[in-house]
Amino acid sequence: MADILITGGCGYIGSHTAVEFINSGMDIVIVDNFSNSDRSVLGRLQQITGKRIRFYECDAADPQAMEKVFSENRISAVIHFAGFKAVGESVKKPLAYYRNNIDSTLTLLELMKKHNCYNFIFSSSATVYGESKDMKPFTENDEAGKCSNPYGRTKYMIEEILRDAANADDNLSVVLLRYFNPIGAHESGLIGENPVGIPNNLMPFITQVAVGKLPKLRVFGNDYPTPDGSCIRDYIHVADLAAGHMSALLYAENHTGCEVFNLGTGKGTSVLEMVETFRRVNDVELPYEIADRREGDVPYCVADPTKANKVLLWECKKTLDDMCRDSWRWQKNCIA
């Protein structure tokens, strides 16, 4: 049976996608160098699925290490998560983001060609759209590339590289998945988002404040052109996002060329609305303060997921309450 390679498979989204694939009866191989993940995730994945995980500790950008992975397994598809992903950090360290994110993709494409592997699912981002001038949900036909930060630009550059690769090879099937804002955790409470250092994303910041690990939440800006002045985002449960990768792989196996899909709920939630929802659902205190705007942020970013709903036959099933409840369960379990 062929194997699915998941790079960055011990990370937040990668680990949930690994569970989705294993529970669907697929054989996976995980590559991770633990630069933004934890070794304990491997044991947690085994606990959830009851399966041993084939794993290689290496950098997805390392050609020699990845040659070993491809040579020792029958890789039929690559799900590429490995990459730096913090908007704010990318503004401060742009070269590290360009080197890491682009190099890993080039290495994978070269080895896929060598080993006759033709299906590539890429973890892209809604940041490729830049700012919504009319405060409307983004469709896949909206202009991309006017990114507000280096992280987003790496994603857009990689999308262009993948399009060129697909145009040059009639056998290659590439699916670009533009994520909006994944939050939540596995219902078991065994895996979730646990960033190194001060969180860059809203939900882990909220949960670490709620559990007492951090003193208060910082809301970056309350003077945006939104109803309550805080940024509006499309938050999607990570389990729904993981299911989107299964749908994308099934699509890739029956199509060639390059196609792009938004993965989001189509519903916008402001930062302050998220704070109030988390408080209500979990009955916890959540002190916060208003801070200056964060460089690279945009006021509004919401998906139009119609294309993914129709073509991939995929849709979100989890609610905002589910996302808050599962995130809190994971955080309490993680601290315990």
Side-chain angles (χ1 to χ4, degrees):
M1 188 172 181
D3 305 311
I4 311 300
L5 173 61
I6 303 179
T7 69
C10 290
Y12 175 45
I13 304 173
S15 61
H16 287 81
T17 301
V19 170
E20 177 76 18
F21 276 57
I22 293 170
N23 286 344
S24 297
M26 294 191 172
D27 293 327
I28 67 166
V29 178
I30 289 178
V31 164
D32 206 302
N33 65 357
F34 300 117
S35 62
N36 192 33
S37 58
D38 190 272
R39 194 178 301 273
S40 67
V41 170
L42 287 170
R44 293 167 184 260
L45 289 176
Q46 184 171 328
Q47 188 176 348
I48 292 169
T49 64
K51 303 288 186 181
R52 289 187 60 85
I53 309 293
R54 270 182 288 169
F55 172 75
Y56 293 79
E57 183 175 353
C58 60
D59 187 337
D62 182 340
Q64 291 184 326
M66 294 307 298
E67 170 62 37
K68 178 178 172 67
V69 174
F70 275 85
S71 296
E72 293 181 354
N73 300 279
R74 295 178 59 247
I75 307 297
S76 64
V78 173
I79 319 291
H80 185 30
F81 295 104
F84 297 155
K85 62 177 185 176
V87 168
E89 183 184 58
S90 77
V91 175
K92 296 178 174 64
K93 301 178 180 179
L95 296 184
Y97 273 68
Y98 289 121
R99 173 66 72 185
N100 182 74
N101 293 4
I102 294 173
D103 276 7
S104 60
T105 305
L106 293 173
T107 296
L108 289 167
L109 285 171
E110 289 168 351
L111 286 168
M112 287 175 64
K113 187 173 183 65
K114 178 180 178 181
H115 290 272
N116 299 315
C117 175
Y118 298 113
N119 298 313
F120 194 106
I121 314 299
F122 178 55
S123 166
S124 192
S125 168
T127 57
V128 302
Y129 289 119
E131 186 170 344
S132 175
K133 301 298 183 182
D134 54 7
M135 303 283 278
K136 292 182 180 179
F138 288 107
T139 74
E140 292 84 353
N141 292 326
D142 284 327
E143 182 180 8
K146 292 184 177 179
C147 310
S148 62
N149 55 77
Y151 162 70
R153 279 189 282 277
T154 67
K155 292 295 188 182
Y156 182 70
M157 289 177 182
I158 292 168
E159 285 193 3
E160 293 294 280
I161 290 168
L162 289 167
R163 284 193 180 91
D164 288 341
N167 286 336
D169 186 344
D170 291 338
N171 293 311
L172 189 60
S173 179
V174 172
V175 179
L176 310 174
L177 296 179
R178 292 176 177 167
Y179 309 158
F180 281 68
N181 286 71
I183 61 173
H186 191 266
E187 61 185 7
S188 66
L190 289 172
I191 56 173
E193 189 171 12
N194 189 28
V196 177
I198 301 296
N200 289 292
N201 296 329
L202 177 61
M203 185 54 77
F205 210 140
I206 286 176
T207 59
Q208 289 189 21
V209 170
V211 83
K213 189 174 180 179
L214 294 172
K216 63 178 67 174
L217 174 68
R218 300 178 70 202
V219 176
F220 296 106
N222 67 343
D223 58 351
Y224 285 100
T226 61
D228 64 19
S230 64
C231 291
I232 291 176
R233 297 289 182 267
D234 186 338
Y235 296 98
I236 174 175
H237 197 293
V238 67
D240 284 331
L241 188 60
H245 292 79
M246 177 64 70
S247 298
L249 179 60
L250 295 176
Y251 176 87
E253 289 176 340
N254 293 286
H255 298 81
T256 57
C258 182
E259 199 60 77
V260 58
F261 297 95
N262 288 336
L263 294 187
T265 66
K267 300 174 183 177
T269 302
S270 76
V271 173
L272 293 176
E273 286 174 334
M274 180 63 78
V275 168
E276 290 307 314
T277 302
F278 190 90
R279 282 174 167 170
R280 172 181 58 79
V281 168
N282 297 307
D283 192 24
V284 294
E285 292 298 317
L286 198 63
Y288 69 88
E289 65 180 7
I290 303 299
D292 292 338
R293 291 186 180 192
R294 185 172 58 178
E295 191 173 7
D297 279 344
V298 296
Y300 179 93
C301 190
V302 175
D304 180 340
T306 302
K307 183 179 177 182
N309 298 159
K310 291 182 176 179
V311 178
L312 299 182
L313 303 179
W314 167 89
E315 62 181 12
C316 291
K317 298 178 181 178
K318 303 281 190 176
T319 66
L320 196 64
D321 284 13
D322 293 330
M323 300 177 210
C324 291
R325 191 177 298 112
D326 290 344
S327 294
W328 183 225
R329 182 188 302 112
W330 152 249
Q331 183 67 72
K332 291 187 292 183
N333 191 52
C334 184
I335 294 301

